[in-house]
Amino acid sequence: MLVSHFRPATTLAAFFVISVFIIATGASVFVTDMYDQAAQEVERGLVGLSTVLADQADRSLQAIELVQDAIIRDMTEANVATTTDYAALASRQDLQQSLKTHIAALPQVNAITIVDHTGKLLNFSRYWPIPSVNIADRDYFKALAADPQLQRFISKPVQNRGDGTWTIYLARKVTAGDGSFLGLVLGAVELSYFEGLYRQITPSDDAVISVFRNDGMLLVRHPHRENAVGKIHLTTGAALIAAQSPSGGVLRNQSPIDGLERLIATKALARYPLILSVSRTVEASLAPFHRQALAVGTAVALLVVCLATLLVLILQQTRTERRIASAEERMRSERDLRTHYERFGIALDNMIQGLCLFDAEHKLVVMNARFVDLYKIPQHLCRPGVKSEDLRRHLLALRPEAVGEWSKVVTAPASDTPSAGANVVHFSDDLDISILRIAVPGGGWICTHEDVTERRRSEERLRFLARHDVLTKLPNRIQFEEAVERELAIRAGSGEDVALLCLDLDGFKQVNDLFGHPAGDRLLSEAAARLKSFVGQGFIAARLGGDEFAVLATGLDAARTSGMAAQAVINALSVPYRDDDRQIYIGCSVGIASFPRDGTTYDQLLTASDMALAHAKSDGKGRYRFFASEMDAAARERHQLALDLRAAIGTTQFALHYQPQFEAATRRASGFEALLRWTHPTLGSIPPSQFVPLAEETGLILPLGEWVLHEACREAASWANPLTIAVNLSIAQFQQADLCERVREILSQTGLRPDRLELEVTESLFLETTSRSQDVLRDLKATGARISMDDFGTGYSSLSALQAFSFDKIKIDRSFVAQIGLTNKGGAIVRAILSLGESLGVPVIAEGIETEEQLAFLQQHRCAEIQGFLYGRPKPIADYGGLIDPAKYLLVA
């Protein structure tokens, strides 16, 4: 009896031990693989993010070096040979304005600074006059001054002596032709820029993004940690990785900065001795795994408990002698077993992955709710015992369009190969599923299915942003250059024509100035959309920056030339743009460079097309021009003229000539118009039509315009006869925030009575009446000066401008006056303007009077004032002494 009693118990106990061993082994294998996958996923994410951020940091620093290269190139082209010449050239105020312009589009740059060989500041983009500061004690100055071979240096973080912000300096050496040390050009990079950038893109709260120098010095860290930046840390993960692999890698290490164990990925910058480090704490990054492992462990524990409970119940059943008691015990055991299985199901159903467990006979043991929801599994295929082949047929029929190893779904992994990594299957509805199959000792296996669509989309977006313009979604410079080089390589031996079109939106700056940058951004997006309509027709379009785009045109022949392609682009971009309730009119100019005639590389073609674009804009805009070899010489001449113009400011090369204005009825002198003249030391007199547009393009119109205003007011204040003085305001001056303050200061400094000053504004300022233009005009009038509308009738919005603002005078453009007596239309237009001025109570002055017939016509129709060669050409004021001296007051005969 005893033997018969213990044999079943022994057998059951042995079965229990074996079952627990199998379950524990399967769970251990599963949890181990889960851990490996979780760690690998975190490492892949850190490596991808560190690569993208290292590239971004590299390009941010390279953008600063481009500015420094331009400054050093100007020094080299100026043949600076001594420290004295270098100090004179580097300390000019116009160079300070140029530095401000260079860094206006670089948010990472705090300032550009030029210092001499002693460390003294010569120029500083943030302030004028230049503060008295010496940086000879800085590490970058000492290093570059001491080592003749060293050309650049990245400093440790220091507090900027200008505004106290933590800053690193990218220092570049400036040398003379003989190699002697002249000074440095410094690019100051605020660490807060990178910290702000990393704050926006940090993947999680526990993540740390850092930038180290190659010697282990910490330059940037987000989140910021006091007393860490600027120190050398030789035991950080970045330093340890750099010692093993200079290009970057992955490491698990305890951080000496915050004392936390972290997973760390680094990437060395391509062009600079810097290392970009991205890390996450082991605890936070593996938290999802720990939750899943806890769920699996709980499930396994519950299963073991169930098996143990079942064993106890069976043993109790063998000891009972009464059938009813045995039946009640069995019912109670089954009820308890169902409860345990429900708890086990809760743990499985709360897993992120869908899970199926199959036994050695390929029959389903467990399927969690996540797997059911993922594939809408019908009820009859969810039950234990279902064959894996039946479930596989259902899944293949449900998703026949999958890309990847979908055919192996819910099939056992090969028993003679180790468990491979997860495979990602892509479906036509943009769904990505990561599938992992793991063999279980004893012949069974576990498969998990996880939806990784969002993770894949995030990675794709990062890749997209690295190669596309954020605003227009067009390819950026990097992708466009690769595409052009690829197309040129394909066509290198075929002789097929290829053209690079460089295009610029005419009038775009005025849109930004008048309507604001949001309106400009919307216009750029619409222009990009129009360019995209050409893609697929042999065009590749890209945005190079600002309002500058580029198009590569291929497949050209006699029926489809590069000129036709350029005209098609001009036509598409010149159609009026609708922005809210207004219509905006802009044009487009195009420069064309042909392969291989004008160049065989991307850089050569881009340079040639850019030169052609400049000529297209100078020829009147709204047209295209082909590159010609003489354009290179013309560009060099224009560049030299710009340098001469910059050097001429503040010298006697510039002078004012004055053209008198008279009352039409009495012919008495009423005032003068001040006109700027430039006498070049070697080229002689340069016409205003040549140097004024160049001054506007280079920004030199601001110091020139202020000099003209000050000189004209000073001269007029000395006249005995209180005549008015008219001075033209450029569009650039009109956009200055402190224009009204400068006018008040000049009137105060020169002592000129405000009502004797007449400011002439061109009609092009009023393409559309804006509140800002009206506010500026009202503020100018509040100074006491008179406001005159110049070139009336040649613009787009004369009447609306007159309606919005009360001008003191209207000036008829000389092109209409020249038609008097020649065409009926010319006389009719002049009569209409005179009648309009009389109706509004605004005096009208006509310029360009050259004949008595024109004068008689204007007197007949009651024109208030006249100006022209008939009674006075622009001359030095000394030639008009009889008009400004009361003792020699003259009437025009």
Side-chain angles (χ1 to χ4, degrees):
M1 289 292 296
L2 289 174
V3 173
S4 63
H5 175 76
F6 280 106
R7 282 181 179 175
T10 303
T11 303
L12 290 173
F15 175 78
F16 172 78
V17 172
I18 294 172
S19 299
V20 170
F21 176 78
I22 293 174
I23 294 173
T25 302
S28 299
V29 172
F30 178 60
V31 170
T32 300
D33 189 77
M34 284 171 53
Y35 174 85
D36 293 338
Q37 290 298 318
Q40 291 173 11
E41 286 297 324
V42 173
E43 291 175 359
R44 281 195 290 269
L46 294 177
V47 169
L49 183 57
S50 65
T51 301
V52 172
L53 293 181
D55 182 70
Q56 185 274 335
D58 199 80
R59 295 184 186 283
S60 296
L61 295 178
Q62 188 181 17
I64 301 173
E65 285 219 53
L66 292 178
V67 176
Q68 294 173 313
D69 286 341
I71 297 170
I72 296 172
R73 183 169 57 253
D74 287 345
M75 299 292 181
T76 302
E77 291 177 355
N79 295 321
V80 175
T82 68
T83 56
T84 302
D85 294 341
Y86 171 76
L89 184 62
S91 58
R92 300 194 322 273
Q93 183 176 3
D94 60 290
L95 178 57
Q96 193 261 352
Q97 292 291 330
S98 177
L99 295 181
K100 291 172 65 177
T101 302
H102 275 308
I103 67 172
L106 301 177
Q108 70 271 31
V109 183
N110 174 278
I112 293 293
T113 308
I114 302 177
V115 301
D116 66 9
H117 67 291
T118 67
K120 178 184 176 182
L121 263 66
L122 298 179
N123 217 320
F124 188 39
S125 63
R126 295 189 62 192
Y127 302 113
W128 189 268
I130 305 304
S132 178
V133 176
N134 192 288
I135 54 90
D137 60 327
R138 295 302 198 189
D139 59 340
Y140 50 83
F141 184 89
K142 294 178 180 178
L144 289 171
D147 187 353
Q149 302 302 319
L150 189 60
Q151 296 299 315
R152 66 163 60 87
F153 190 90
I154 297 177
S155 77
K156 66 180 181 181
V158 295
Q159 282 189 294
N160 189 297
R161 292 180 176 173
D163 57 9
T165 58
W166 281 99
T167 307
I168 60 173
Y169 289 86
L170 180 58
R172 293 287 303 277
K173 180 184 293 184
V174 182
T175 58
D178 60 358
S180 60
F181 176 59
L182 297 179
L184 303 180
V185 179
L186 308 179
V189 182
E190 291 187 0
L191 299 185
S192 59
Y193 165 77
F194 287 100
E195 290 178 0
L197 175 64
Y198 298 155
R199 185 183 305 112
Q200 295 176 6
I201 64 174
T202 184
S204 61
D205 293 339
D206 66 296
V208 171
I209 303 177
S210 307
V211 179
F212 292 84
R213 277 197 331 201
N214 278 3
D215 60 359
M217 177 176 288
L218 178 61
L219 302 182
V220 180
R221 187 182 192 272
H222 173 77
H224 183 77
R225 196 171 186 89
E226 292 295 331
N227 301 322
V229 174
K231 295 183 178 179
I232 295 177
H233 305 274
L234 297 179
T235 58
T236 60
L240 297 176
I241 293 173
Q244 298 294 326
S245 175
S247 62
V250 181
L251 182 69
R252 182 168 176 172
N253 183 48
Q254 184 171 1
S255 171
I257 296 176
D258 59 14
L260 300 177
E261 187 176 14
R262 292 182 171 275
L263 285 173
I264 306 158
T266 67
K267 182 66 178 180
L269 271 64
R271 300 177 179 88
Y272 301 93
L274 300 177
I275 301 172
L276 195 292
S277 169
V278 182
S279 69
R280 290 192 62 192
T281 63
V282 173
E283 179 182 0
S285 58
L286 296 181
F289 158 75
H290 291 148
R291 290 192 294 270
Q292 295 173 13
L294 179 60
V296 172
T298 302
V300 171
L302 290 175
L303 184 58
V304 171
V305 170
C306 291
L307 292 176
T309 303
L310 180 61
L311 176 61
V312 172
L313 292 175
I314 293 175
L315 291 175
Q316 288 178 350
Q317 181 180 3
T318 60
R319 295 189 185 101
T320 184
E321 295 180 354
R322 293 181 298 172
R323 184 174 299 176
I324 297 176
S326 298
E328 291 177 352
E329 186 67 25
R330 188 166 51 253
M331 293 175 61
R332 186 165 55 251
S333 298
E334 292 174 354
R335 187 165 56 250
D336 292 342
L337 187 59
R338 283 195 300 271
T339 301
H340 288 303
Y341 270 113
E342 288 174 359
R343 294 174 181 172
F344 177 68
I346 291 173
L348 288 177
D349 292 342
N350 280 280
M351 293 176 58
I352 297 176
Q353 297 93 349
L355 178 143
C356 288
L357 173 63
F358 296 92
D359 60 19
E361 297 180 357
H362 298 193
K363 292 183 180 180
L364 180 65
V365 177
V366 175
M367 177 187 295
N368 68 355
R370 177 59 180 151
F371 194 94
V372 175
D373 293 340
L374 198 57
Y375 298 113
K376 309 302 179 190
I377 306 297
Q379 186 66 32
H380 69 280
L381 292 177
C382 299
R383 299 168 183 163
V386 171
K387 292 184 178 180
S388 61
E389 183 60 30
D390 295 337
L391 184 59
R392 177 173 174 274
R393 280 196 296 267
H394 170 76
L395 294 177
L396 292 177
L398 181 69
R399 294 281 190 175
E401 80 292 356
V403 177
E405 295 189 2
W406 184 237
S407 60
K408 298 180 180 178
V409 65
V410 294
T411 58
S415 59
D416 57 345
T417 58
S419 298
N423 294 312
V424 177
V425 178
H426 183 73
F427 297 100
S428 60
D429 55 358
D430 201 30
L431 179 70
D432 286 318
I433 302 295
S434 176
I435 300 176
L436 177 66
R437 296 177 299 146
I438 303 173
V440 176
W445 81 91
I446 295 173
C447 66
T448 61
H449 291 215
E450 181 182 359
D451 185 349
V452 293
T453 307
E454 287 303 320
R455 185 193 311 161
R456 185 261 305 168
R457 289 174 179 170
S458 297
E459 293 172 352
E460 288 178 350
R461 176 162 179 77
L462 284 175
R463 288 192 293 269
F464 180 86
L465 292 176
R467 296 174 59 80
H468 290 79
D469 176 57
V470 177
L471 175 64
T472 63
K473 305 302 183 291
L474 285 174
N476 59 14
R477 281 181 177 270
I478 298 173
Q479 185 178 355
F480 184 66
E481 181 177 356
E482 293 175 357
V484 172
E485 293 288 4
R486 183 173 57 252
E487 293 294 332
L488 296 183
I490 293 173
R491 292 162 175 80
S494 65
E496 180 181 340
D497 289 337
V498 177
L500 182 63
L501 314 181
C502 190
L503 50 122
D504 187 84
L505 301 181
D506 301 330
F508 176 75
K509 183 179 184 300
Q510 292 180 341
V511 174
N512 268 344
D513 293 340
L514 296 175
F515 309 133
H517 288 279
D521 289 345
R522 290 191 293 273
L523 188 146
L524 288 174
S525 297
E526 173 60 24
R530 296 181 185 182
L531 286 177
K532 289 177 185 176
S533 66
F534 290 99
V535 176
Q537 307 174 30
F539 283 78
I540 301 174
R543 182 189 179 199
L544 302 183
D547 62 331
E548 187 178 358
F549 297 84
V551 172
L552 183 70
T554 61
L556 303 176
D557 51 31
R560 181 173 176 268
T561 64
S562 57
M564 295 177 182
Q567 190 60 53
V569 171
I570 292 173
N571 294 341
L573 297 186
S574 299
V575 175
Y577 295 79
R578 171 65 64 179
D579 185 57
D580 294 334
D581 58 345
R582 58 176 167 246
Q583 229 175 7
I584 299 176
Y585 294 86
I586 65 171
C588 174
S589 299
V590 179
I592 306 174
S594 299
F595 169 84
R597 184 191 65 198
D598 302 326
T600 58
T601 67
Y602 167 79
D603 290 336
Q604 292 172 348
L605 292 176
L606 185 62
T607 300
S609 61
D610 197 47
M611 289 183 186
L613 172 61
H615 281 73
K617 295 180 75 68
S618 64
D619 287 349
K621 304 180 181 180
R623 63 188 65 193
Y624 63 85
R625 284 288 304 272
F626 291 94
F627 173 76
S629 57
E630 58 268 17
M631 289 182 180
D632 189 31
R636 294 181 184 275
E637 292 176 2
R638 182 175 176 82
H639 177 68
Q640 184 59 49
L641 190 62
L643 293 177
D644 295 343
L645 179 63
R646 187 184 304 275
I649 296 178
T651 70
T652 58
Q653 295 182 32
F654 284 107
L656 288 184
H657 285 192
Y658 297 83
Q659 186 173 29
Q661 300 170 339
F662 300 92
E663 296 176 355
T666 64
R667 303 188 188 180
R668 286 190 176 89
S670 58
F672 286 91
E673 180 179 5
L675 300 169
L676 183 62
R677 295 294 184 263
W678 180 22
T679 304
H680 192 278
T682 58
L683 300 178
S685 179
I686 308 294
S689 60
Q690 183 175 354
F691 74 80
V692 170
L694 187 60
E696 291 178 339
E697 178 183 328
T698 59
L700 297 176
I701 194 66
L702 296 178
L704 274 177
E706 184 168 335
W707 180 83
V708 170
L709 182 61
H710 189 281
E711 182 66 16
C713 291
R714 184 196 61 76
E715 176 62 43
S718 68
W719 299 341
N721 191 14
L723 304 175
T724 62
I725 182 68
V727 179
N728 290 283
L729 284 182
S730 70
I731 294 179
Q733 287 177 279
F734 191 83
Q735 298 300 327
Q736 282 184 287
D738 62 344
L739 175 61
C740 298
E741 288 74 11
R742 294 299 302 136
V743 171
R744 289 190 181 94
E745 290 177 7
I746 290 173
L747 288 172
S748 176
Q749 292 169 0
T750 60
L752 181 69
R753 202 172 67 228
D755 62 350
R756 292 181 58 196
L757 175 61
E758 185 175 295
L759 299 174
E760 295 188 358
V761 295
T762 61
E763 190 183 348
S764 57
L765 286 171
F766 304 97
L767 290 175
E768 182 172 322
T769 301
T770 65
S771 58
R772 184 185 183 283
S773 62
Q774 296 176 32
D775 291 342
V776 174
L777 287 175
R778 281 193 290 269
D779 291 343
L780 286 174
K781 201 165 187 178
T783 65
R786 297 161 58 84
I787 309 299
S788 172
M789 177 181 281
D790 196 10
D791 301 334
F792 185 83
T794 61
Y796 301 94
S797 54
S798 305
L799 298 180
S800 62
L802 288 176
Q803 184 181 24
F805 182 76
S806 178
F807 288 90
D808 295 297
K809 188 182 292 185
I810 297 173
K811 199 168 190 179
I812 304 177
D813 187 71
R814 65 178 65 250
S815 62
F816 299 123
V817 175
Q819 297 299 314
I820 295 176
L822 299 179
T823 64
N824 293 332
K825 182 182 293 185
I829 292 176
V830 173
R831 282 197 303 271
I833 297 175
L834 292 171
S835 177
L836 176 63
E838 185 175 5
S839 300
L840 296 175
V842 181
V844 178
I845 180 173
E847 63 177 343
I849 312 301
E850 298 185 0
T851 66
E852 291 288 349
E853 181 182 3
Q854 294 169 349
L855 176 61
F857 180 90
L858 293 169
Q859 290 176 325
Q860 177 185 353
H861 293 89
R862 299 184 298 282
C863 180
E865 297 180 32
I866 58 174
Q867 175 183 345
F869 288 175
L870 183 62
Y871 292 117
R873 293 176 176 271
K875 298 178 181 179
I877 195 62
D879 292 350
Y880 291 109
L883 296 181
I884 63 176
D885 188 344
K888 299 177 182 179
Y889 186 87
L890 299 177
L891 290 177
V892 179

